[in-house]
Amino acid sequence: MGNTKSGALSKEILDDLKLNTKYTEEELCAWYATFLKECPSGRITKEQFEGIYASFFPDADPTAYARHVFRSFDTNADGTLDFKEYIVALHLTSSGKTLRKLEWAFALYDVDGNGTISKNEMQEIVR
C-alpha cells in the first residue's frame, strides 16, 4: 500500500487510482489521510466493515449482507480492505460505470466465485 512510515500514499497506487477513478490527486490524498486516522493499520477488517455498515442500518442487522459486500470488495481475498480496495469500492458504488457496477453485483451474488449464480446463492443474498 502506501509508505506507512511517512503516511504518504505511494506514487504507484496514487497514479493507478487517478487513472481508474474520478478522484483527483488532492482528493485521494485527503481520503488517504482520513483513512489512516480511522484505520491506523492501513487496513479495514471484516469486523470493522460490518460495524460501519451496521451504522447505516440502525434498525436492522445487516451483518450477513455486509460480509458479502466486504467479500466482493476484498479483491485479493486477504480478509482486509486496503486503501486501494476501499477507494475502488467507493468509486464503483458512487459513480462507477454501469458495466463495472454489473460486474460487481455479479461478484456479490456469486458467493463461491465459480462464475455462476446458483439458486442457493441468490436466496442467500436476498435473505
Side-chain angles (χ1 to χ4, degrees):
M1 189 172 63
N3 181 346
T4 54
K5 290 184 178 159
S6 69
L9 187 57
S10 76
K11 180 169 176 23
E12 178 184 328
I13 290 175
L14 185 60
D15 289 345
D16 185 51
L17 289 173
K18 285 187 331 190
L19 183 66
N20 292 299
T21 70
K22 66 174 185 157
Y23 304 119
T24 66
E25 184 169 336
E26 293 75 24
E27 290 171 320
L28 290 166
C29 289
W31 276 105
Y32 187 62
T34 302
F35 182 82
L36 285 181
K37 283 181 188 172
E38 297 296 320
C39 305
S41 70
R43 301 196 167 275
I44 299 173
T45 66
K46 187 185 329 180
E47 292 76 19
Q48 288 171 309
F49 184 83
E50 289 169 7
I52 294 166
Y53 208 86
S55 70
F56 291 105
F57 304 97
D59 298 328
D61 181 11
T63 305
Y65 187 73
R67 284 187 198 127
H68 291 298
V69 173
F70 182 89
R71 175 190 43 78
S72 72
F73 292 153
D74 183 14
T75 56
N76 65 356
D78 70 352
T80 64
L81 299 181
D82 63 20
F83 181 70
K84 184 176 176 180
E85 289 168 319
Y86 172 76
I87 289 295
V88 168
L90 180 67
H91 170 73
L92 173 66
T93 56
S94 66
S95 61
K97 294 180 179 177
T98 303
L99 181 60
R100 291 282 294 132
K101 286 182 181 180
L102 289 170
E103 291 169 344
W104 170 73
F106 186 89
L108 177 66
Y109 282 80
D110 184 16
V111 175
D112 63 10
N114 71 351
T116 62
I117 299 171
S118 70
K119 181 178 178 181
N120 288 341
E121 288 170 319
M122 181 66 75
Q123 289 173 332
E124 182 175 337
I125 298 298
V126 172
R127 255 184 264 131

